[in-house]
């Protein structure tokens, strides 16, 4: 993890573009050594007032399909250190079976559908969930 923390930023990234990526690889000598799942991008304000960005994520371990696909692969040398590798198709996380490009995790709207299905299965309605949550997490601010 220290290598990921050291190399996750500070970068000049367009958050709208970087947030579409799902996986980041980090290499030494053109060989991928670290594969991480990207959870998001955070803005970091530097002392001079400029803003750079850092990746937020978790390092994947052997046995994870993305780790096993990328770790140890040789990548070409590029003048620009940022290079987007072709992805593999992935399935929507809701379980619908729809194949997505690697930059997506959900078919648009399927994350909300999956969330609502799970809430209603456990609590019956969104209102029951909100009531349960507010009772069990009183430190949460009211919306």
């Amino acid at each position: 993890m220290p290598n990921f923390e050291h190399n996750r930023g500070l970068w000049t990234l367009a958050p709208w573009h970087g947030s579409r990526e799902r996986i980041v690889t980090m290499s030494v000598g053109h060989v991928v050594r670290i594969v991480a799942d990207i959870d998001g991008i955070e803005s970091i304000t530097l002392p001079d007032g400029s803003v750079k960005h850092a990746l937020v994520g978790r390092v994947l371990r052997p046995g994870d399909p993305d780790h096993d696909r990328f770790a140890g692969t040789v990548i070409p040398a590029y003048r620009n250190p940022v290079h987007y590798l072709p992805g593999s198709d992935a399935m929507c996380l809701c379980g619908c079976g729809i194949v997505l490009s690697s930059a997506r995790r959900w078919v648009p709207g399927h994350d909300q559908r999956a969330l609502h299905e799970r809430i209603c299965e456990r609590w019956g309605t969104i209102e029951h969930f909100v009531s349960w949550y507010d009772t069990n997490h009183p430190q949460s601010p009211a919306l």
Side-chain angles (χ1 to χ4, degrees):
M1 184 67 128
N3 283 329
F4 176 76
E5 286 300 319
H6 178 74
N7 291 293
R8 69 184 192 92
L10 301 167
W11 303 100
T12 302
L13 297 173
W16 59 268
H17 182 72
S19 63
R20 293 185 309 192
E21 298 300 324
R22 189 174 64 85
I23 299 292
V24 63
T25 63
M26 298 175 181
S27 60
V28 175
H30 308 295
V31 177
V32 173
R33 303 293 183 196
I34 296 172
V35 181
D37 189 39
I38 301 172
D39 294 325
I41 296 175
E42 66 178 317
S43 298
I44 309 289
T45 303
L46 302 177
D48 67 0
S50 65
V51 176
K52 298 265 182 158
H53 299 92
L55 300 173
V56 177
R58 64 183 176 83
V59 175
L60 301 176
R61 302 288 176 216
D64 179 281
D66 289 315
H67 173 276
D68 295 348
R69 184 165 62 112
F70 290 118
T73 59
V74 176
I75 59 171
Y78 288 93
R79 186 171 179 192
N80 181 345
V82 176
H83 176 69
Y84 298 97
L85 301 173
S88 67
D89 293 335
M91 301 292 244
C92 178
L93 292 177
C94 82
C96 67
I98 294 177
V99 177
L100 306 165
S101 69
S102 65
R104 292 192 166 268
R105 295 180 182 187
W106 304 90
V107 170
H110 284 211
D111 55 341
Q112 290 298 308
R113 184 174 76 185
L115 180 62
H116 283 259
E117 287 173 357
R118 284 153 179 83
I119 287 172
C120 290
E121 181 180 310
R122 171 88 188 264
W123 288 277
T125 66
I126 301 298
E127 291 81 8
H128 287 127
F129 167 75
V130 170
S131 177
W132 170 86
Y133 188 88
D134 289 347
T135 299
N136 289 285
H137 301 281
Q139 71 280 5
S140 299
L143 297 175

